[in-house]
Amino acid sequence: MIVMLEPDSPQSVVAAVLQVASQYKGVTPRPHVMEGSEYTVTEVYLLGPTAQVPTEPFEQIPGVRQVVRVSQKYRVIGRHKGQKMATTGFEYNGVTFDERSVQLFAGLCAVDTRENVESMMAALERCGIRTTRMGAYKPRTNPYEFQGLGAACLPWVFESAGKHGIKVVAMEVTHPRHIDEIRDALERSGNATGVMLQVGTRNAQNFELLKQIGQQRDFPVLFKRGMGITLEESLNACEYIASEGNPKIVFCLRGVKTHLGDPHRNMVDFAHVPVVRRLTRMPVCVDPSHAIGRADAPPDGLPDIFHSIGQGLIAGASMVLVDFHPHPEAALCDGPQALRLEQLAALQRYTHIVREAYVAVVKNGDGSAPTEVAA
Amino acid sequence: MIVMLEPDSPQSVVAAVLQVASQYKGVTPRPHVMEGSEYTVTEVYLLGPTAQVPTEPFEQIPGVRQVVRVSQKYRVIGRHKGQKMATTGFEYNGVTFDERSVQLFAGLCAVDTRENVESMMAALERCGIRTTRMGAYKPRTNPYEFQGLGAACLPWVFESAGKHGIKVVAMEVTHPRHIDEIRDALERSGNATGVMLQVGTRNAQNFELLKQIGQQRDFPVLFKRGMGITLEESLNACEYIASEGNPKIVFCLRGVKTHLGDPHRNMVDFAHVPVVRRLTRMPVCVDPSHAIGRADAPPDGLPDIFHSIGQGLIAGASMVLVDFHPHPEAALCDGPQALRLEQLAALQRYTHIVREAYVAVVKNGDGSAPTEVAA
Amino acid sequence: MIVMLEPDSPQSVVAAVLQVASQYKGVTPRPHVMEGSEYTVTEVYLLGPTAQVPTEPFEQIPGVRQVVRVSQKYRVIGRHKGQKMATTGFEYNGVTFDERSVQLFAGLCAVDTRENVESMMAALERCGIRTTRMGAYKPRTNPYEFQGLGAACLPWVFESAGKHGIKVVAMEVTHPRHIDEIRDALERSGNATGVMLQVGTRNAQNFELLKQIGQQRDFPVLFKRGMGITLEESLNACEYIASEGNPKIVFCLRGVKTHLGDPHRNMVDFAHVPVVRRLTRMPVCVDPSHAIGRADAPPDGLPDIFHSIGQGLIAGASMVLVDFHPHPEAALCDGPQALRLEQLAALQRYTHIVREAYVAVVKNGDGSAPTEVAA
Amino acid sequence: MIVMLEPDSPQSVVAAVLQVASQYKGVTPRPHVMEGSEYTVTEVYLLGPTAQVPTEPFEQIPGVRQVVRVSQKYRVIGRHKGQKMATTGFEYNGVTFDERSVQLFAGLCAVDTRENVESMMAALERCGIRTTRMGAYKPRTNPYEFQGLGAACLPWVFESAGKHGIKVVAMEVTHPRHIDEIRDALERSGNATGVMLQVGTRNAQNFELLKQIGQQRDFPVLFKRGMGITLEESLNACEYIASEGNPKIVFCLRGVKTHLGDPHRNMVDFAHVPVVRRLTRMPVCVDPSHAIGRADAPPDGLPDIFHSIGQGLIAGASMVLVDFHPHPEAALCDGPQALRLEQLAALQRYTHIVREAYVAVVKNGDGSAPTEVAA
């Protein structure tokens, strides 16, 4: 059962809900606060045997907007009946993650040299982009391949980010100690930038890691879909994070593993953008680099990677994670799929045009029902 | 080896090429004429042991533009080196199929009643749409399910099409005799409309059917990708049609079969739009109805089917095949995926906005190479 | 509704059933005769609106054993409630196809030369094997690849078969005219041998072909599972054959198409042997050659192809289709997966040992229920 | 480069190898000791830039049997050229894991009550089986489902195991702290039994966990194939464990995730048994319970689970992991796939018969090459 409070409700409303809840044996109330860019929404989850708990005592509390009974599925992240209006999203270090804007996370799949990091950050600054991706911890299929520079590179990565006005660095972690290393390095850098913890596709069902990421509140999370499991299983995995207390999650589609996607590296799954938006309240990110995995282009001159970004955006994705590299041919990891720095401005223009088209079709009301998303 | 002539070359050039070719033992020349909307392109394919055949004697013939050696793969349909400029597409019954325009084939998955056909055709006319889909022959998984009205419905389907100014009806055939039945019914209707023969996904490797379809020139072909085979295998199947002499083929993506596409009926494969455009010279169609298979929409109010159409168009698809029905709940086949007639105008507006965005990104030169597609 | 008669019932019982059935409007009776190796079973299918038809009037006819109401699914081929005892299988040209024995169809994937056919047939005769496979019509992914010798080779293939005492040749057909060509060639050979029509995986849902094969009764059918569709869809496709009147069908598992089967050519699906045996009454064949597609062996020296044959047999498969070639390295089609003639006797011994083990475990009653299969 | 010593070589040979290796800059020697049931094999891996390191200096050391250069792939676990004779396997707590015998790990998927654990252990003892599976830590798709009793149940599980003479309990761990909890509980039980650490399919690419498991030597490992990744990727994941120093790994096939396996829970992949045996030196286990996921049986009365076990054994699998439960209908996890205790003796007989058949076919030399596996 979820007790939804009015936006920006004072703490006293939460207290009142907790008091009422305490009357029902075995029921554990757990408040969830979602700080959006415009207002804060608080919901109190009633866990346990709530089937016999009546909704009226909660509905009568002033400041309570609605009480909904929810099925087990996606209890925290789900878009439940009656929550259609609920604004999704959050703010972190000055950057907004919701459906009203698009964030372009362009950067290095794997951090290799200071020079390349510096070139990348400078290129972003020239374009006015404040978000990037930087891989320090690289899980690789083969144990003898380059595994990333790890904690050693964090100081100069964060320093470079701060110097160029980068506000958020998306960075994969594969072990809880990486979170500590990142927190420490950030502090030592004077919090020069912020970090979004990325859960990689291979750890999509590493529930112990998910729980640890869910228990910390310092960093928001970018969760990448598991490449060989269903969408439903991946959404359930996100629920592990959220149910531990951290609701600041962006869900990232990155392609699935099947030969039917050949000649692309993976089978692009961006048709699931509207599905994730319907089933949950999470903003949706697309990762075209790992999905496509190659640099080809049709005769129109736009690389497949651009085309797939467009496919994500035209369906309402609001974040893009994309690999760039100053010298793709020399990258230590996934070079063939990296765009060149010269393509960054073009990508930004491309993104803008397609996003405008998405805004237009929604405004135009071309759907079968009135829209509620301002964009 | 392919001898490409200048656009609108006279027959004498073809004759000269054939004469030169006759000097090489075992080599069979086969001319292919592609009538585009603006000009006609002729190519002469030299089949057989061409490894030792020199290119110079052909290059010296006035009117020969270029001679290219091609690998075995996609000999006729392929976009070979040196053919980047070659305009793809064709015209049929007044409708142009190429990359310069988008054709919306909205109609009934399965013909059921005269009233429904008439309602559908009238709705198309009101929107100024001249292309539709109408299923008379329906291959079904289960032998005891409705298999379509067959030849019996053709007279009134074509009559209704003619009455409402419909120029092309896409219609699946599963046996060569269906082609004859269609030809006969069209003639008896005074050629009230035109027909595009559709190869269904279950017959994608029914090579005997493909060869028969390739041997006739009356009707262009809409080839649907096989749902459980690779893209390469499907393109090779198209080559069966083309190598028999009929190059007027549109390639249709319709989703592939894997549980990873859940909750959609199939896994949407429209990221392959740019791939087909790169590997071949065929225009590309998308069929969102069979790929998505359901009527849901995210909070922006646009059904998943719209979103996936947008994903096709933003990547350069130039034809859309989509199921409509006056009463989806009463349809004999695939009702859940049919849009309602009231959504037709909205879809037309939606299509227009997204196509404009595609034209804009190409014009804007946001790619990594100069574009050559005017749109 | 199915009216099952006692084994070897006279025609008068069928007539009595038809008369009773004629009293129910819209109900069409269709007798199915299954000639087993020991006795003949006749069933009368009542098609149409049978929900209101009572079972008693049929049950009271002397010679009627049982009347069962069946769901739509697998109406003819299915193993319905009350049919657990029903013997499956049939006899053709002196060879028995049922669960009591194992038939080894070893032969050429594609007929190439008279010498190779002769060598193969002679090797079979030396081992006392009377069944083989010989591909005359070869559907190939690429239109420019060898497509089989077609009707031209039939005379000398059948002559060689007859000379060496081969009773049944499994042969793929891809067009109804191939059936006629085979019938003609057999007649001209003085019916030197028999033919089992093989439906290939690419034509598994070519319903027009299936219907034609179902309408003839001269030849039994070997139906190969579709490589990219579900088992349920493949079983439904068999029902197309059976519902047209030909119940002499063996269902062949041949692997499915997914990268998860690498490094094998396909993903071996022989765990479905017991599933097909439970859901239907068809004997089950396994084709290890196309499933495995390579000649490797683990350190025990038995090739993967042997191991997978063993996996089929130990689960109750009663037919094996396997590629051999006198010179695998020179085969025109699928050479890498062909066994050498020297391995034929070893395979025969291998098959015998594993089959004995299957018989032993069934006799031993190691299951959860008493067994009814004598083996 | 791998320097292989003669079986049971003294430590002095290792020392000599290390000394020679120390002459090559950048090369790190790492000894791997595999204690087999009959003798101990030591190999010294030379890691780093070994391309220029000559083999002769090592070959001349008395006690060195062979020096092989290996490609990157599966450096430690792989079956490299020249290693065909190398005996695989190891001994743990009195139980032998190699290709000469079959170990049946029958037990509870999830530990629920003391009574059920006790019933299970007693049933095993009655059959003379000394190995079992017991799930204490249960990763579940949904965070709100039963997650296992965890460390709390270990004392009474180990006590019961010891009481009934169980020597090895296979137990999944999902976090390094679980290893410590197991070690502690075992010690407190007076080492009443032994534990085999199980890596679950969801953690198949949780490389941090794999490394930790590889760094401990107390417990052998049962590695379950990742359900959505290729066999090659799963073998590479095993290499993570082995390269950290623990070579006592059994590789477990448990089915892969694709709808093509329906109606089974997963697609059974036991045709890969000979592939794993060829590519690596690990013993191979099959897990039919998770692969099949249901209790059905064909008319021969043997459940699909038995049939798939037979398919594993007939191809050379030497370990079986199978779910049992005193009351399958009341199991907290995966009840439908659990066998009943009454079926244990039948399974044991079944296993014995099929294993005998495997031994017979290998002895019979039915392969294409002389066999080297005594069984």
Side-chain angles (χ1 to χ4, degrees), chain C residues 215-274:
Chain C
Q215 283 160 16
Q216 62 78 37
R217 308 284 180 96
D218 297 334
F219 307 110
V221 184
L222 182 63
F223 178 91
K224 283 196 164 187
R225 176 184 189 165
M227 62 181 148
I229 56 175
T230 61
L231 182 62
E232 182 179 332
E233 289 167 323
S234 288
L235 295 178
N236 266 305
C238 276
E239 183 76 13
Y240 266 93
I241 300 172
S243 68
E244 294 287 335
N246 189 343
K248 296 185 175 179
I249 311 170
V250 175
F251 189 86
C252 182
L253 294 164
R254 47 82 69 207
V256 294
K257 204 175 174 65
T258 153
H259 67 292
L260 294 169
D262 293 345
H264 288 154
R265 180 177 176 188
N266 286 285
M267 175 100 206
V268 180
D269 57 349
F270 299 170
H272 279 162
V273 169

Side-chain angles (χ1 to χ4, degrees), chain B residues 140 144 206 233 239-240, chain C residues 140 144 206 239-240 257:
Chain B
R140 302 299 295 277
Y144 306 114
N206 177 351
E233 289 166 322
E239 184 75 13
Y240 267 93
Chain C
R140 302 298 295 275
Y144 306 114
N206 178 351
E239 183 76 13
Y240 266 93
K257 204 175 174 65

Side-chain angles (χ1 to χ4, degrees), chain D residues 280-354:
Chain D
T280 81
R281 294 179 291 166
M282 296 184 284
V284 182
C285 174
V286 292
D287 171 356
S289 304
H290 287 79
I292 300 289
R294 48 193 299 161
D296 300 298
D300 63 19
L302 300 169
D304 286 14
I305 289 176
F306 275 46
H307 283 298
S308 66
I309 289 172
Q311 292 184 323
L313 294 174
I314 203 68
S318 51
M319 176 172 161
V320 177
L321 191 76
V322 55
D323 290 0
F324 273 77
H325 199 280
H327 313 288
E329 63 290 352
L332 290 177
C333 175
D334 292 336
Q337 72 194 31
L339 296 173
R340 301 188 313 278
L341 297 191
E342 303 84 76
Q343 293 175 289
L344 184 56
L347 177 60
Q348 205 178 13
R349 286 198 305 275
Y350 176 89
T351 300
H352 184 74
I353 294 174
V354 180

Side-chain angles (χ1 to χ4, degrees), chain C residues 62-83:
Chain C
V64 166
R65 179 183 184 170
Q66 195 171 12
V67 181
V68 293
R69 292 191 181 281
V70 296
S71 65
Q72 284 286 94
K73 195 177 266 188
Y74 318 142
R75 196 180 286 179
V76 182
I77 62 170
R79 185 178 296 279
H80 304 290
K81 223 179 152 180
Q83 288 181 316

Side-chain angles (χ1 to χ4, degrees), chain D residues 189-203:
Chain D
S189 79
N191 289 313
T193 184
V195 167
M196 185 172 207
L197 302 179
Q198 189 178 316
V199 177
T201 190
R202 293 182 183 83
N203 284 299

Side-chain angles (χ1 to χ4, degrees), chain C residues 196-367:
Chain C
M196 186 173 205
L197 301 179
Q198 189 178 316
V199 177
T201 189
R202 293 181 182 85
N203 284 299
Q205 290 191 311
N206 178 351
F207 301 131
E208 295 292 331
L209 179 64
L210 300 184
K211 283 189 251 176
Q212 299 262 356
I213 287 176
Q215 283 160 16
Q216 62 78 37
R217 308 284 180 96
D218 297 334
F219 307 110
V221 184
L222 182 63
F223 178 91
K224 283 196 164 187
R225 176 184 189 165
M227 62 181 148
I229 56 175
T230 61
L231 182 62
E232 182 179 332
E233 289 167 323
S234 288
L235 295 178
N236 266 305
C238 276
E239 183 76 13
Y240 266 93
I241 300 172
S243 68
E244 294 287 335
N246 189 343
K248 296 185 175 179
I249 311 170
V250 175
F251 189 86
C252 182
L253 294 164
R254 47 82 69 207
V256 294
K257 204 175 174 65
T258 153
H259 67 292
L260 294 169
D262 293 345
H264 288 154
R265 180 177 176 188
N266 286 285
M267 175 100 206
V268 180
D269 57 349
F270 299 170
H272 279 162
V273 169
V275 177
V276 177
R277 293 172 64 212
R278 174 168 65 248
L279 298 180
T280 80
R281 294 178 290 166
M282 296 183 284
V284 181
C285 175
V286 292
D287 169 356
S289 304
H290 287 79
I292 299 290
R294 49 193 297 160
D296 300 298
D300 63 19
L302 300 170
D304 286 15
I305 289 176
F306 275 47
H307 282 299
S308 65
I309 289 172
Q311 293 183 322
L313 294 173
I314 203 68
S318 50
M319 176 172 161
V320 177
L321 191 75
V322 57
D323 289 0
F324 273 77
H325 199 278
H327 313 287
E329 62 289 354
L332 289 177
C333 175
D334 292 336
Q337 72 195 31
L339 296 173
R340 301 188 312 279
L341 296 192
E342 304 84 78
Q343 293 175 289
L344 184 57
L347 176 60
Q348 204 178 15
R349 286 197 305 276
Y350 176 89
T351 300
H352 184 74
I353 295 174
V354 180
R355 174 66 181 183
E356 285 297 298
Y358 173 69
V359 172
V361 291
V362 172
K363 270 204 185 125
N364 203 43
D366 286 331

Side-chain angles (χ1 to χ4, degrees), chain A residues 47 72-76 138-145 147 174-178 202-203 205-209 211-212 227-230 232-233 236-237 239-240 242-243 257, chain D residues 47 72-76 138-145 147 174-178 202-203 205-209 211-212 227-230 232-233 236-237 239-240 242-243 257:
Chain A
L47 308 180
Q72 284 284 94
K73 195 177 267 190
Y74 318 143
R75 195 180 288 180
V76 182
K138 302 300 304 176
R140 302 299 295 277
T141 299
N142 187 316
Y144 306 114
E145 285 174 349
Q147 311 264 326
T174 62
H175 192 281
R177 82 168 170 275
H178 298 159
R202 291 181 184 84
N203 284 300
Q205 289 192 310
N206 177 350
F207 300 132
E208 296 293 330
L209 179 65
K211 284 190 250 176
Q212 299 261 358
M227 61 182 149
I229 56 176
T230 62
E232 182 177 332
E233 289 166 324
N236 266 306
E239 183 76 13
Y240 267 94
S243 68
K257 204 174 175 67
Chain D
L47 309 180
Q72 285 286 95
K73 195 177 266 190
Y74 317 142
R75 195 180 288 179
V76 182
K138 300 301 302 175
R140 301 299 295 276
T141 299
N142 186 318
Y144 306 114
E145 284 173 349
Q147 310 267 325
T174 62
H175 192 282
R177 83 168 169 276
H178 299 158
R202 293 182 183 83
N203 284 299
Q205 290 191 312
N206 177 351
F207 300 132
E208 296 293 330
L209 178 65
K211 284 189 250 177
Q212 298 261 357
M227 61 181 148
I229 57 175
T230 61
E232 183 178 332
E233 288 167 323
N236 265 306
E239 183 76 13
Y240 266 94
S243 68
K257 204 174 174 66

